[in-house]
Amino acid sequence: VEERDTIIKRLEAQGLQVLPVDDLEYHRINNGMPTWGRELDENTLPQEARLEDQAVDFHKGCYVGQEVVSRIKSVGRVNRRLFGLESDNLLSSGMVLAPENSPETPVGSITSVSPVFGLSKWIGMGYVKHGFDLPGGRLLASNPENGLQTSVRMREFPIDTAL
């Protein structure tokens, strides 16, 4: 903590503003930036997390996982994909996503959420199975622990909450 405070003081002394963690989380989610332990783990493919444009060089040779990554590029899709989510109601990480007309059929889950400051909305991101991944489409988000349910709208990144 002391090291963190020292770094913050140095940055502020140079005229830089350090954003609160909640603000950083909102911007991370709004812009679709996956993070390790939430959207990324050792089983995540770059194309699932929308990292192919920023983190994959399809012309570089000989790297771990190259065969799988190249095969996905040639097939043209993955089985699940990271999407932005928006709701007028409280969202929480871990909520299960399902079609509104078939709530017993899970098609994804929410990995990260943040309130939209100044509006009564929440944004999030999560993985959705291919075939149910239509921007603008609606899914039902439910919390298996307490039974709460709400409708979410699938969005591309960045999430424009004014729409």
Side-chain angles (χ1 to χ4, degrees), residues 6-137:
T6 301
I7 292 170
I8 289 173
K9 286 179 184 174
R10 286 183 185 167
L11 291 171
E12 289 173 341
Q14 294 179 21
L16 298 173
Q17 181 183 2
V18 178
L19 293 175
V21 172
D22 290 345
D23 289 356
L24 291 173
E25 184 69 355
Y26 168 80
H27 288 292
R28 181 185 76 78
I29 293 168
N30 188 57
N31 289 291
M33 297 171 59
T35 190
W36 189 262
R38 291 195 190 172
E39 292 78 33
L40 302 172
D41 63 22
E42 63 276 358
N43 299 311
T44 308
L45 298 169
Q47 291 94 331
E48 292 174 329
R50 299 177 177 251
L51 295 174
E52 63 271 21
D53 293 335
Q54 309 100 302
V56 177
D57 183 348
F58 291 102
H59 303 291
K60 179 179 171 28
C62 300
Y63 57 88
V64 175
Q66 175 187 14
E67 226 174 278
V68 173
V69 169
S70 294
R71 190 174 318 126
I72 292 168
K73 184 177 182 202
S74 67
V75 169
R77 70 170 183 86
V78 287
N79 292 330
R80 66 180 190 149
R81 191 138 165 108
L82 191 63
F83 270 90
L85 305 166
E86 178 186 14
S87 179
D88 292 333
N89 299 305
L90 175 70
L91 297 177
S92 62
S93 296
M95 290 182 97
V96 176
L97 298 170
E100 289 184 319
N101 62 354
S102 184
E104 68 285 344
T105 307
V107 297
S109 63
I110 298 177
T111 55
S112 295
V113 299
S114 174
V116 179
F117 305 106
L119 297 174
S120 296
K121 290 187 179 191
W122 285 75
I123 60 170
M125 62 178 150
Y127 285 101
V128 179
K129 286 183 181 179
H130 178 73
F132 297 92
D133 52 353
L134 302 171

